[in-house]
Amino acid sequence: MDLLIPDKAHDESRQGEALLLEPVVGKNNGRKLYIESYGCAMNFSDSEIVASILADSGFETTSDFNNADVVFINTCSIRENAEVRVRNRLKEFAGAKFKNPGMVVGVLGCMAERLKAKFLEEEKLVDVVVGPDAYRDLPNLIEQVDGGQRAVNVLLSREETYADISPVRLNSNGINAFVSIMRGCDNMCSFCVVPFTRGRERSRDAVSIVAECTDLFNQGYREVTLLGQNVDSYKWSGQLADGGEQLAVGDEVKIVNFANLLEMVALVSPELRVRFSTSHPKDITDEVLYTIAKYDNICNYIHLPVQSGNSRILELMNRTYDRDWYINRIDAIRRIIPECAISTDMITGFCTETDEEHNDSVSMMDYVKYDFAYMFKYSERPGTLAAKRYADDIPEVVKQARLAEIVAKQQQYSFYRMQARLGRVEKVLIEGFSKKSNNDYCGRSDQNAMVIFPVTEGYKPGQYANVLVERTTSATLIGRIID
Ligand code: 5AD
Ligand code: SF4
């Protein structure tokens, strides 16, 4: 899985963002919705689908939950602390509900799916619990709550992809957008709760994906990130006649794999950047790598979670590859796309991990020299294979020490990767003003590095700029536009 934000999922730095949406004009029902999302990019993308469904029923949004008639929280279960954060946030909603007893409070997403009706027993203020495949039912569920009941729909689906729903872009800068290409996950990584909360893997209609990307481009968007728990296993078959024109094959039914889909989206326009997340080491093919290499607008950046550098631990994790396989995939990326940035996810202190096995994770970091990494202590999740089979036996202090070690190591390599860009010219998609100053713009390089440079006459957000890199930190490139 592994969908971290901004390029993938489960970036815990992006938490609890309130999202605004416009009501569908003429259908306003006079009620206000507040929606907040936690966890992965898929959740943020799902909130845009929820927003679309509720805008169709006439809801207007508010950025203040105290004024809301309906308060939704779209939740994450990936680690225990993600759930703790949601519970704390619910306590904050309790005061508002006390003042306004008619307020509907709903829990959406992975925690809803994991805990189901139990949520209603545990959290008395919650009125509605809705899993990730049941969002079309939200207007009915809200009606049930209005009628004095509490409501639950946590049915998972083998088909639902929300392909026909046009997401309402929330908190959008009008430049980057997430496009969901598949849902669920069929990999049973033993530590992971996602297969239980998001159900079986299914791929979205390729024609609808290309149509959405084309539409975004026509609205002025310049970057799409294709989202799936395991994008390399994307597979859809159908007629492409109405889809990406360049690949149209009449009425012929064609199987579209991820490499084909990437190409179809890249062909929407050379001015549209294409990113994707997340790749799985067991499934990423050379065909995908050659497709990335072939198109300038498919960004040279791959998030390839390793989780551990040790083959025995990888087996216990049920990752279905070993250390050598992973290294082989890294070598293939370096060979086919020499300029490619690579990031990863790593877990420390998985069940029975010894110091030597942990050192294999450290040496993997030395081998790859990742541009970026998301690093976590193992957190046992109820119901997962690991929770059933293995004791969570690594003491917290050991997990913490191992985590601190790899975080420090990654800091060095992030800095090393940034330094390697010094004196080079990066093509940057300008996203807006930098966080610190309206005198500076920020944007991302092809390799996904954040780049800061002075606002320059003739350049606006949504345009590309060539930036000469003059300084770096371990997270940012700093420079100036050159013609
Ligand atoms: N404990 C710690 N980290 C986890 N992840 C997934 N499940 C767990 C868990 N139980 C991490 C993995 C995954 C990322 C999204 O979150 O590294 O790739
Ligand atoms: Fe990713 Fe594995 Fe979890 Fe699937 S089961 S979402 S591949 S970590």
Side-chain angles (χ1 to χ4, degrees):
M1 113 128 359
D2 329 290
L3 267 180
L4 295 138
I5 284 182
D7 0 285
K8 26 209 164 250
H10 298 124
D11 173 4
E12 290 177 0
S13 66
R14 188 164 172 183
Q15 293 290 353
E17 223 165 86
L19 304 165
L20 288 178
L21 66 125
E22 299 294 325
V24 171
V25 182
K27 272 190 108 181
N28 195 331
N29 67 8
R31 298 175 84 187
K32 289 200 175 80
L33 167 78
Y34 173 88
I35 182 165
E36 197 172 277
S37 301
Y38 288 77
C40 71
M42 195 62 101
N43 261 6
F44 283 75
S45 169
D46 279 1
S47 289
E48 298 187 331
I49 287 167
V50 169
S52 176
I53 291 167
L54 289 181
D56 272 349
S57 311
F59 281 86
E60 195 183 339
T61 47
T62 168
S63 56
D64 178 3
F65 65 80
N66 291 296
N67 294 332
D69 301 291
V70 173
V71 171
F72 281 159
I73 180 161
N74 197 350
T75 61
C76 171
S77 284
I78 197 98
R79 281 170 293 278
E80 195 184 353
N81 55 13
E83 293 202 352
V84 170
R85 219 167 281 140
V86 166
R87 300 242 190 212
N88 288 339
R89 190 62 176 147
L90 282 172
K91 288 197 189 92
E92 290 170 32
F93 295 153
K97 174 135 173 158
F98 185 72
K99 282 190 217 136
N100 171 13
M103 176 191 275
V104 177
V105 176
V107 175
L108 316 181
C110 288
M111 254 177 113
E113 191 63 51
R114 192 176 87 69
L115 292 159
K116 303 187 169 56
K118 231 164 71 186
F119 222 115
L120 297 180
E121 289 157 32
E122 289 174 16
E123 302 283 347
K124 294 290 174 228
L125 90 155
V126 173
D127 304 294
V128 51
V129 174
V130 191
D133 287 347
Y135 296 145
R136 286 181 203 267
D137 200 22
L138 277 169
N140 299 328
L141 296 167
I142 292 173
E143 234 176 84
Q144 277 181 41
V145 176
D146 291 341
Q149 290 166 292
R150 296 167 97 195
V152 179
N153 187 344
V154 287
L155 287 176
L156 287 172
S157 158
R158 279 174 176 256
E159 284 95 38
E160 180 64 271
T161 59
Y162 300 110
D164 57 314
I165 294 185
S166 230
V168 173
R169 303 290 159 188
L170 298 166
N171 281 6
S172 169
N173 60 4
I175 298 166
N176 326 87
F178 291 127
V179 176
S180 163
I181 64 164
M182 59 203 294
R183 299 180 71 82
C185 183
D186 281 353
N187 297 315
M188 286 297 246
C189 298
S190 64
F191 52 78
C192 186
V193 77
V194 170
F196 304 96
T197 60
R198 288 192 162 268
R200 298 304 297 271
E201 182 179 291
R202 63 225 100 116
S203 295
R204 177 179 166 191
D205 174 335
V207 177
S208 78
I209 296 169
V210 174
E212 186 175 329
C213 294
T214 307
D215 194 42
L216 284 165
F217 182 75
N218 291 337
Q219 287 174 45
Y221 285 81
R222 289 295 173 265
E223 185 177 286
V224 290
T225 303
L226 308 180
L227 292 180
Q229 248 71 34
N230 176 7
V231 290
D232 299 296
S233 62
Y234 177 87
K235 196 169 177 196
W236 178 81
S237 58
Q239 293 180 357
L240 283 176
D242 301 320
E245 270 170 23
Q246 292 84 342
L247 285 192
V249 287
D251 286 329
E252 194 186 324
V253 170
K254 194 177 152 129
I255 292 176
V256 179
N257 66 17
F258 184 57
N260 306 142
L261 181 73
L262 263 183
E263 178 159 52
M264 289 163 72
V265 176
L267 289 170
V268 166
S269 165
E271 293 295 299
L272 181 69
R273 272 191 171 172
V274 187
R275 299 188 186 276
F276 54 90
S277 190
T278 290
S279 306
H280 195 298
K282 84 171 156 58
D283 295 319
I284 190 166
T285 59
D286 286 0
E287 188 191 3
V288 166
L289 302 181
Y290 283 115
T291 307
I292 299 169
K294 181 171 166 195
Y295 291 94
D296 273 353
N297 58 329
I298 304 179
C299 291
N300 288 340
Y301 171 62
I302 298 177
H303 183 63
L304 197 67
V306 63
Q307 314 295 5
S308 165
N310 176 268
S311 294
R312 188 186 75 89
I313 295 293
L314 286 169
E315 195 173 339
L316 293 189
M317 287 177 163
N318 200 26
R319 289 290 288 178
T320 68
Y321 56 84
D322 62 10
R323 181 182 171 92
D324 288 345
W325 175 279
Y326 186 86
I327 286 178
N328 168 288
R329 293 293 74 208
I330 295 291
D331 292 348
I333 296 170
R334 300 271 185 243
R335 188 174 67 245
I336 299 167
I337 323 165
E339 285 281 305
C340 196
I342 303 175
S343 62
T344 202
D345 295 344
M346 190 79 93
I347 297 177
T348 64
F350 188 68
C351 315
T352 74
E353 184 189 62
T354 65
D355 282 339
E356 290 71 34
E357 288 165 338
H358 163 70
N359 287 342
D360 284 344
S361 292
V362 177
S363 77
M364 183 63 89
M365 297 175 82
D366 291 329
Y367 184 80
V368 184
K369 301 186 177 61
Y370 293 106
D371 291 74
F372 189 81
Y374 294 91
M375 294 158 283
F376 313 101
K377 285 182 283 186
Y378 172 59
S379 163
E380 186 178 83
R381 306 309 295 130
T384 56
L385 294 182
K388 287 185 194 148
R389 285 184 194 160
Y390 317 120
D392 179 12
D393 59 352
I394 305 301
E396 185 61 22
V397 282
V398 176
K399 284 183 186 174
Q400 183 58 47
R402 289 179 185 168
L403 179 66
E405 184 185 354
I406 62 168
V407 166
K409 171 109 348 214
Q410 182 53 43
Q411 179 86 359
Q412 285 173 12
Y413 285 127
S414 293
F415 188 64
Y416 164 84
R417 290 287 176 201
M418 291 286 155
Q419 287 278 298
R421 312 305 294 186
L422 266 180
R424 300 184 52 152
V425 176
E426 302 286 346
K427 184 176 176 190
V428 178
L429 174 59
I430 308 174
E431 291 181 11
F433 293 118
S434 86
K435 268 194 203 135
K436 288 195 187 139
S437 159
N438 279 3
N439 296 326
D440 289 327
Y441 276 146
C442 68
R444 286 183 182 269
S445 70
D446 188 334
Q447 277 88 357
N448 205 38
M450 181 53 77
V451 188
I452 311 279
F453 46 98
V455 170
T456 304
E457 176 103 20
Y459 289 88
K460 291 198 308 259
Q463 291 180 341
Y464 293 96
N466 290 321
V467 177
L468 173 68
V469 179
E470 297 175 313
R471 283 186 297 132
T472 85
T473 68
S474 61
T476 317
L477 304 176
I478 303 156
R480 65 184 160 84
I481 293 182
I482 56 162
D483 287 332

